[in-house]
Amino acid sequence: MSKSVPVAIASLVGFLMIVAYFSPYLLPWRQAAEDWYSIIAAIAMVYGGVNLCIHHLKKISDREAGWGFSAVTVLAFAFTVVAGLLKLGVVPESVANLDHAWSGRFQQEGGLLWWNFQYLMSPIVSTMFALLAFYVASAAFRAFRAKNIEAVLLLATALIVLIGQTKDREITSLFMPAPTDGSSPYLPIADVTEFIRKTFVTSGQRAIIIGVSLGVVATSLRVLLGLDRNYLGGDE
Amino acid sequence: MRSMMTSTGTAANIRTAVLILVFLCLGSSKSIAAEASEPNGPSKEASLAAKVFDEGKTAFAILTISICGLVVVCTELARRGKPFYVRPIAGLQAIEEAVGRSTEMGKPILYVAGLEDLNEIDTVAGLTILSGVAKVAAEYDTPLEVPTSRALVMTAAREAVQAAALAAGRPDYYDEDRIYYITYEQFGFVASVCGWIYREKPAACFYLGKFFAESLILAETGNAVSAIQIAGTAETTQLPFFVAACDYTLIGEELFAASAYLSGEPAQLGMLKGQDLGKLAAILLITVGSLLATWDSISPRGNDADGKPLPRRSHLITETVLKGG
């Protein structure tokens, strides 16, 4: 019984979302279901924040390994919540609201929350993103080894695609003899790159997408028909 | 007995859903009659909103019902005893190997169910595999760490692991402090997980769900601590990174087949076969469409008597079977 009600709700709402695509009459119901989901997700976010605090405060109190990171997390969380909720540094935006201190938007430029995002959050996120370049290089160095014919083909394709992304015409023109018609010499590596992307890559990607789409249909049907209940903790 | 109860419960769900939809359709037909009897007809938008069925999507509706029907028919055939063969999937067969390795080394297991919420089917598939991994981990008594990026996923993951521990006969294995929410921010999440990987040095890492740019950071960090890594995602842009950095990769639909593969239930295996028949239909459409498009480019149809260009032959596929999608 405790699993039947959630499965029934999931089935009804799921089928409603599917049928509403074909039936304009049901679109308001579909919109209502999406709004309900947004409300539940917002409540879940509060639950997640509370869980975050409890998890890290427990680590600090138990002095577990790495508790210093938990202390920084809790401090940053508290700072952001206070700055956003109290709208610290935010000023009224219109003359009519001068008497209302909290009438400005909480993301107002110059406010403490904006400053937090602009000068702390963004640089940190950009730093993590920049690490990707080094990880790509290390993964490529490890993966692209010419051990057999397939690996050699992979390596050659990777080299062509890599050079094609750069200023290949300027680079290759340095090593080639000038043609008799006076034009600049170059190897059409970028054209080969484009050909590889448009034919081999696109076709392979589309094949995977077709398989994924059918997999999504089958998995969704399993969930909607109640055959797969692992997301609820399995069968009773 | 359990399968009968499940099928009875499923039939009840379907009956309830059909009854409610019929009720809605009856109600909508009344509203259409009321609209038609008004002296001034409704606007185009209002008439579209009052329509029960959008005729422009008829072909796509038929295609959808056909594919879903194929899946359901194969499920019924499997329930009645028809055997279906499913090829071995290396990544799923390696789950027990990975958990065993962690047990021998005395190290924990890391499981990341993706970065999206429970409304993404990739996440649901990831949670399904989490049940299987948690059951094996409970049997071996190996700690399982499940950091999540969404609170709803955290809740569902806790349910899944608790149920798996119960199924393995180890209710004391479940520890809710090991399944926790970090942040929904992409790189904040991956920074936290990578820090945990470097500190705890897990022996096995599972990345199964929806991933984006952070996939390579996770995979390379796991590789740096020499963990055995099993990954799976339906994001085609991230598959090359997982293939390059992980030991086993579930590519696209293999992620969705995991539930059927791990459970071994005939009904779920039947659904896989229905999926394969859908793929066969797609191959047929692509082949016919390609031949028609090639015929068009070699020998175009030209113009009709009024001088207007005739529709291309490939429109037989794109403007009929696939129209409205």
Side-chain angles (χ1 to χ4, degrees), chain B residues 194-238:
Chain B
C194 289
W196 184 88
I197 291 174
Y198 276 121
R199 286 193 298 275
E200 301 295 328
K201 293 185 176 36
C205 296
F206 293 85
Y207 314 119
L208 295 153
K210 204 168 189 86
F211 293 90
F212 302 99
E214 73 289 343
S215 59
L216 188 61
I217 300 177
L218 282 171
E220 281 295 297
T221 309
N223 190 62
V225 300
S226 305
I228 181 172
Q229 300 192 100
I230 299 173
T233 182
E235 279 294 313
T236 52
T237 50
Q238 306 309 316

Side-chain angles (χ1 to χ4, degrees), chain B residues 14-31:
Chain B
I14 294 171
R15 278 198 297 272
T16 311
V18 167
L19 279 171
I20 290 182
L21 287 173
V22 166
F23 179 80
L24 286 170
C25 291
L26 283 173
S28 69
S29 65
K30 278 191 180 175
S31 75

Side-chain angles (χ1 to χ4, degrees), chain A residues 1 9 21 63 69 85 88 158 174 186 188:
Chain A
M1 180 60 190
I9 293 172
Y21 178 77
R63 294 291 191 271
F69 300 113
L85 279 180
L88 297 177
L174 295 173
Y186 69 93

Side-chain angles (χ1 to χ4, degrees), chain A residues 7 21-25 37 44 48 51-52 58 121 135-136 138 142 218-219 222 225 227-228 230 233 236, chain B residues 2 10 28 48-49 51-52 54 57 79 117 128 151 158 163 177 181-182 185 220 223 256 259 271 275 324:
Chain A
V7 168
Y21 178 77
F22 301 100
S23 173
Y25 180 76
Y37 172 75
N51 177 266
L52 178 88
K58 201 172 174 187
M121 183 71 177
Y135 283 123
V136 168
S138 75
R142 214 176 48 249
T219 306
R222 279 205 297 270
L225 294 176
L227 289 173
D228 187 350
N230 285 309
E236 288 179 298
Chain B
R2 175 174 284 195
T10 305
S28 69
L48 183 64
K51 278 170 72 171
V52 175
D54 185 356
K57 295 178 180 173
R79 275 214 183 107
D117 214 335
T128 302
R158 283 180 172 176
D177 290 335
Y181 167 78
I182 298 178
E185 167 60 37
E220 281 295 297
N223 190 62
F256 303 112
S259 169
M271 283 204 153
Q275 206 175 305

Side-chain angles (χ1 to χ4, degrees), chain B:
Chain B
M1 187 61 178
R2 175 174 284 195
S3 64
M4 282 176 63
M5 285 171 69
T6 305
S7 65
T8 306
T10 305
N13 291 340
I14 294 171
R15 278 198 297 272
T16 311
V18 167
L19 279 171
I20 290 182
L21 287 173
V22 166
F23 179 80
L24 286 170
C25 291
L26 283 173
S28 69
S29 65
K30 278 191 180 175
S31 75
I32 288 171
E35 294 269 10
S37 65
E38 286 176 6
N40 298 317
S43 65
K44 191 176 176 187
E45 292 79 17
S47 64
L48 183 64
K51 278 170 72 171
V52 175
F53 185 75
D54 185 356
E55 288 86 7
K57 295 178 180 173
T58 306
F60 192 67
I62 294 171
L63 185 68
T64 305
I65 292 168
S66 308
I67 291 177
C68 294
L70 269 175
V71 173
V72 171
V73 163
C74 288
T75 307
E76 246 341 280
L77 285 173
R79 275 214 183 107
R80 291 179 190 193
K82 185 173 171 59
F84 286 121
Y85 170 74
V86 177
R87 67 171 173 86
I89 298 175
L92 297 174
Q93 287 184 320
I95 287 175
E96 191 145 356
E97 175 199 338
V99 174
R101 184 173 184 265
S102 298
T103 311
E104 284 171 10
M105 296 175 69
K107 293 287 185 183
I109 301 167
L110 172 71
Y111 193 103
V112 182
L115 260 76
E116 284 296 319
D117 214 335
L118 213 50
N119 60 331
E120 293 287 337
I121 204 71
D122 309 48
T123 309
V124 174
L127 289 173
T128 302
I129 305 175
L130 171 63
S131 296
V133 171
K135 189 163 177 242
V136 180
E139 286 167 2
Y140 285 84
D141 199 21
T142 312
L144 175 65
E145 193 92 358
V146 186
T148 64
S149 178
R150 297 280 195 266
L152 280 177
V153 176
M154 175 191 73
T155 313
R158 283 180 172 176
E159 291 278 329
V161 172
Q162 188 175 23
L166 281 168
R170 296 288 315 277
D172 55 317
Y173 171 80
Y174 172 65
D175 180 5
E176 69 170 20
D177 290 335
R178 290 197 172 271
I179 305 157
Y180 50 91
Y181 167 78
I182 298 178
T183 176
Y184 80 94
E185 167 60 37
Q186 181 183 19
F187 288 108
F189 176 79
V190 77
S192 176
V193 174
C194 289
W196 184 88
I197 291 174
Y198 276 121
R199 286 193 298 275
E200 301 295 328
K201 293 185 176 36
C205 296
F206 293 85
Y207 314 119
L208 295 153
K210 204 168 189 86
F211 293 90
F212 302 99
E214 73 289 343
S215 59
L216 188 61
I217 300 177
L218 282 171
E220 281 295 297
T221 309
N223 190 62
V225 300
S226 305
I228 181 172
Q229 300 192 100
I230 299 173
T233 182
E235 279 294 313
T236 52
T237 50
Q238 306 309 316
L239 280 170
F241 300 131
F242 278 144
V243 169
C246 296
D247 299 285
Y248 299 93
T249 305
L250 301 177
I251 297 176
E253 56 182 335
E254 290 176 345
L255 179 69
F256 303 112
S259 169
Y261 190 90
L262 291 173
S263 68
E265 282 180 23
Q268 299 207 29
L269 290 174
M271 283 204 153
L272 285 185
K273 281 298 135 181
Q275 206 175 305
D276 286 344
L277 290 176
K279 249 182 287 185
L280 198 60
I283 291 169
L284 237 76
L285 280 173
I286 290 169
T287 308
V288 171
S290 304
L291 290 172
L292 289 174
T294 308
W295 188 5
D296 276 327
S297 56
I298 294 171
S299 162
R301 292 187 73 188
N303 299 332
D304 60 9
D306 298 328
K308 289 181 192 167
L310 286 165
R312 297 168 63 91
R313 295 182 188 91
S314 54
H315 284 193
L316 180 68
I317 302 290
T318 57
E319 294 298 320
T320 54
V321 179
L322 299 177
K323 190 180 178 188

Side-chain angles (χ1 to χ4, degrees), chain A residues 97-210:
Chain A
N97 293 327
L98 278 174
D99 294 335
H100 304 280
W102 282 357
S103 59
R105 290 173 301 117
F106 72 96
Q107 290 166 316
Q108 188 187 78
E109 192 173 325
L112 192 57
L113 188 69
W114 173 86
W115 185 93
N116 180 29
F117 183 82
Q118 190 74 10
Y119 296 111
L120 289 178
M121 183 71 177
S122 282
I124 292 172
V125 167
S126 303
T127 306
M128 288 298 300
F129 209 173
L131 283 177
L132 265 178
F134 299 99
Y135 283 123
V136 168
S138 75
F141 179 77
R142 214 176 48 249
F144 296 147
R145 299 288 177 96
K147 291 180 281 197
N148 48 37
I149 295 175
E150 290 87 3
V152 169
L153 281 173
L154 184 64
L155 181 59
T157 309
L159 273 172
I160 292 169
V161 171
L162 188 64
I163 295 172
Q165 306 286 342
T166 63
K167 290 183 180 292
D168 63 300
R169 294 193 176 194
E170 286 79 354
I171 294 169
T172 56
S173 66
L174 295 173
F175 306 101
M176 293 182 65
T180 52
D181 60 358
S183 60
S184 299
Y186 69 93
L187 278 175
I189 299 179
D191 299 333
V192 176
T193 302
E194 201 54 32
F195 175 76
I196 291 171
R197 193 181 295 132
K198 276 187 180 171
T199 54
F200 302 109
V201 174
T202 304
S203 57
Q205 219 171 16
R206 284 177 181 172
I208 295 175
I209 288 170
I210 288 172

